[in-house]
């Protein structure tokens, strides 16, 4: 089958993105029921935080191993199994009767979730040419942001209608059905074997890792993803609502609605930036531009010794979200500058940078707030110093993207060692 001229590729594109949409929503959906978990299971806030965050630790730790496995055996098997594991973990979560079962369920969900991005990128790379891939990877990034958006008002409504157990049970069953459908189209319909040994991958894993980890281009991609993803996911997903409540006196509902402005920016930015990059037949220049814009936005928070006007906050949150949409260009660079047989491990390595920063930023930001509260007894002023963290992260991202080597060769690019 000629994959890149087959009509089936659009069915695959839609089904893989829908699966990613549902899986992405389950990354942050547990945050909607924090108070209910504390009541139902009689557990502390710190325990709930541990249960919620364990998925991100598992996800981050498995990115490079998943890239190695995907390169060696092909992405189909892991994409199908990942959707099933996430679904089963979500079902177990909905049926849990003890906090340790909740913890196990989130670990299982994290293992499944760790498969989706690396293998989705490889599947799209196999079915679409390089120019199409650069445009479509933006839509893939938009799908992740749409999943985060689903985990706000829509999933809250489902929780109200079905109860939190019914809502998570429904999401888990949906993912299991997605796994079955992916098997049908990726294996049965396209006549592919479920595990394909990559005959070109004869290199021992240790030597492959050493070569990738010593590659300047790989580290540039690691840091450009580190700088863009951590500030957005790390801050928006942890300290944005408390910041708006403590500093600007907003209610929780008003603060959550403002967060949606940032999500809308990300939804708009991802496909538009991908289209612009494809139209210009260039990645590095637009990527540098959006890194600079995001760095300036985070730096703006440090220009105000008093709380910034709300109109400024709305504008900054929207632009930061819009700039976050550019993160999909990281994987467009991977696709265009590394051999397809190594795309999985490099994708996993770059994605590790993004989610490592998303794990580190809330922790560092919280340490700064705790220290400030110890000194002055108030959190409000501590946020000012806390914003130094995303500024430093964004600066590292800018250094990373400026270090990318891009050499045009027709419609493609060649990495420089």
């Amino acid at each position: 089958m000629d994959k890149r001229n087959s009509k089936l590729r659009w069915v695959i594109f839609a089904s893989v993105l829908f699966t990613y949409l549902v899986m992405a929503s389950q990354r942050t959906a547990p945050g909607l029921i924090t108070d209910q978990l504390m009541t139902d299971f009689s557990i502390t806030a710190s325990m709930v935080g541990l249960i919620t965050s364990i998925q991100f630790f598992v996800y981050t730790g498995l990115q490079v191993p998943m890239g190695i496995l995907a390169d060696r055996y092909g992405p189909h098997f892991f994409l199908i199994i990942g959707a099933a594991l996430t679904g089963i973990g979500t079902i177990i979560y909905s049926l849990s009767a003890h906090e340790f079962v909740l913890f196990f369920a989130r670990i299982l969900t994290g293992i499944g979730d760790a498969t989706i991005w690396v293998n989705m990128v490889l599947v799209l790379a196999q079915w679409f040419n390089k120019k199409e891939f650069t445009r479509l990877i933006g839509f893939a990034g938009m799908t992740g942001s749409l999943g985060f958006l689903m985990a706000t008002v829509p999933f809250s409504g489902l929780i109200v209608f079905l109860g939190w157990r019914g809502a998570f049970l429904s999401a888990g069953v949906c993912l299991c059905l997605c796994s079955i459908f992916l098997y049908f189209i990726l294996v049965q319909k396209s006549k592919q074997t479920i595990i394909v040994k990559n005959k070109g991958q004869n290199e021992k894993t240790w030597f492959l890792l050493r070569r990738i980890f010593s590659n300047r281009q790989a580290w540039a991609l690691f840091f450009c993803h580190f700088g863009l993803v951590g500030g957005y996911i790390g801050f928006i997903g942890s300290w944005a609502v408390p910041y708006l409540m403590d500093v600007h006196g907003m209610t929780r509902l008003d603060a959550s609605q403002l967060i949606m402005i940032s999500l809308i920016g990300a939804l708009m930015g991802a496909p538009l930036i991908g289209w612009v990059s494809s139209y210009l037949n260039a990645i590095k220049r637009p990527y540098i531009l959006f890194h600079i814009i995001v760095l300036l936005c985070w730096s703006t928070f440090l220009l105000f010794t008093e709380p910034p006007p709300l109109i400024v906050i709305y504008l900054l949150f929207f632009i930061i979200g819009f700039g976050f949409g550019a993160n999909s260009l990281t994987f467009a660079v991977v696709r265009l500058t590394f051999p397809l047989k190594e795309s999985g491990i490099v994708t996993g390595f770059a994605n590790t940078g993004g989610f490592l920063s998303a794990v580190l930023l809330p922790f560092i930001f919280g340490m700064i707030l705790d220290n400030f509260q110890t000194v002055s007894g108030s959190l409000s002023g501590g946020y000012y110093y806390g914003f130094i963290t995303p500024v430093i992260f964004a600066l590292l991202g800018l250094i990373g993207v400026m270090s990318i080597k891009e050499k045009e060769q027709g419609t493609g690019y060649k990495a420089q060692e």
Side-chain angles (χ1 to χ4, degrees):
M1 176 184 291
D2 185 1
K3 291 182 177 181
R4 292 173 184 173
N5 291 312
S6 170
K7 293 181 179 178
L8 181 63
R9 63 189 180 145
W10 295 108
V11 178
I12 290 173
F13 177 72
S15 58
V16 169
L17 257 64
F18 178 77
T19 303
Y20 180 45
L21 173 73
V22 181
M23 291 176 73
S25 72
Q26 294 308 297
R27 292 175 182 171
T28 54
L32 298 172
I33 57 169
T34 298
D35 54 340
Q36 290 173 280
L37 292 179
M38 292 175 66
T39 300
D40 292 354
F41 293 89
S42 301
I43 53 179
T44 63
S46 59
M47 184 62 181
V48 173
L50 179 61
I51 292 171
T52 302
S53 64
I54 189 62
Q55 177 176 351
F56 290 101
F57 283 103
V58 173
Y59 180 99
T60 304
L62 288 179
Q63 287 305 286
V64 171
M66 182 51 58
I68 295 171
L69 292 172
D71 282 337
R72 190 171 293 274
Y73 298 110
H76 297 150
F77 172 76
F78 298 105
L79 197 59
I80 294 165
I81 293 299
L85 285 177
T86 306
I88 293 169
T90 306
I91 291 172
I92 293 174
Y93 191 83
S94 72
L95 302 175
S96 299
H98 194 278
E99 61 264 29
F100 291 114
V101 180
L102 291 175
F103 191 76
F104 169 75
R106 293 304 288 176
I107 291 177
L108 198 61
T109 302
I111 295 172
D113 192 22
T115 68
I116 183 64
W117 183 260
V118 172
N119 291 288
M120 179 176 68
V121 168
L122 291 182
V123 166
L124 296 183
Q126 289 179 2
W127 287 85
F128 295 91
N129 63 45
K130 292 181 179 181
K131 196 170 184 66
E132 289 175 325
F133 181 88
T134 301
R135 291 197 303 268
L136 295 178
I137 197 68
F139 284 95
M142 180 191 73
T143 302
S145 297
L146 187 58
F148 293 144
L149 190 61
M150 277 184 59
T152 56
V153 176
F155 203 75
S156 294
L158 193 63
I159 290 172
V160 172
F161 182 67
L162 297 177
W164 74 266
R165 291 184 182 275
F168 281 90
L169 178 63
S170 300
V173 171
C174 180
L175 283 170
C176 289
L177 293 175
C178 286
S179 175
I180 295 171
F181 187 72
L182 287 175
Y183 175 79
F184 174 74
I185 62 166
L186 288 175
V187 179
Q188 295 293 328
K189 193 70 175 176
S190 62
K191 308 299 183 185
Q192 302 288 310
T193 55
I194 193 166
I195 297 183
V196 180
K197 179 76 173 179
N198 189 337
K199 295 180 181 179
Q201 182 62 280
N202 296 319
E203 202 170 2
K204 289 186 177 180
T205 300
W206 170 250
F207 292 106
L208 176 62
L209 283 172
R210 188 171 65 178
R211 186 158 57 81
I212 295 298
F213 287 176
S214 62
N215 185 290
R216 176 180 172 181
Q217 182 85 337
W219 279 105
L221 293 167
F222 177 96
F223 280 107
C224 75
H225 209 56
F226 180 98
L228 207 57
V229 172
Y232 177 80
I233 295 180
F235 179 74
I236 297 296
S238 60
W239 292 109
V241 170
Y243 164 73
L244 294 170
M245 293 173 65
D246 293 340
V247 176
H248 294 274
M250 287 187 173
T251 64
R252 188 176 301 275
L253 178 60
D254 289 340
S256 299
Q257 290 175 344
L258 199 156
I259 297 304
M260 291 183 68
I261 297 293
S262 181
L263 290 171
I264 291 171
L267 285 172
M268 295 172 60
L272 182 59
I273 293 168
W275 179 85
V276 168
S277 180
S278 177
Y279 177 79
L280 295 174
N281 196 29
I283 295 175
K284 184 173 180 177
R285 283 178 294 160
Y287 209 5
I288 288 176
L289 174 63
F290 284 104
H291 269 272
I292 291 173
I293 290 172
V294 170
L295 173 60
L296 291 175
C297 284
W298 287 120
S299 300
T300 301
F301 284 98
L302 301 179
L303 298 179
F304 294 89
T305 53
E306 297 295 326
L310 275 180
I311 185 63
V312 174
I313 295 296
Y314 274 94
L315 189 61
L316 289 175
F317 274 40
F318 176 82
I319 296 175
I320 288 171
F322 191 93
F324 168 76
N327 81 85
S328 58
L329 294 181
T330 298
F331 308 103
V333 175
V334 173
R335 172 70 176 87
L336 297 173
T337 61
F338 285 90
L340 190 58
K341 66 181 183 180
E342 297 177 359
S343 292
I345 185 172
V346 181
T347 295
F349 183 60
N351 209 28
T352 298
F355 280 85
L356 177 63
S357 64
V359 170
L360 289 177
L361 188 139
F363 175 71
I364 297 172
F365 206 106
M367 285 182 61
I368 293 173
L369 290 180
D370 285 342
N371 182 70
F372 196 86
Q373 188 176 31
T374 301
V375 173
S376 67
S378 171
L379 279 176
S380 299
Y383 285 101
Y384 176 84
Y385 298 99
F387 280 116
I388 296 174
T389 309
V391 169
I392 293 174
F393 279 30
L395 184 59
L396 289 173
L398 180 59
I399 293 171
V401 74
M402 291 180 69
S403 300
I404 290 174
K405 295 295 183 181
E406 182 180 65
K407 181 180 180 181
E408 189 170 353
Q409 291 187 332
T411 59
Y413 301 84
K414 184 178 180 180
Q416 304 297 304
E417 296 293 328

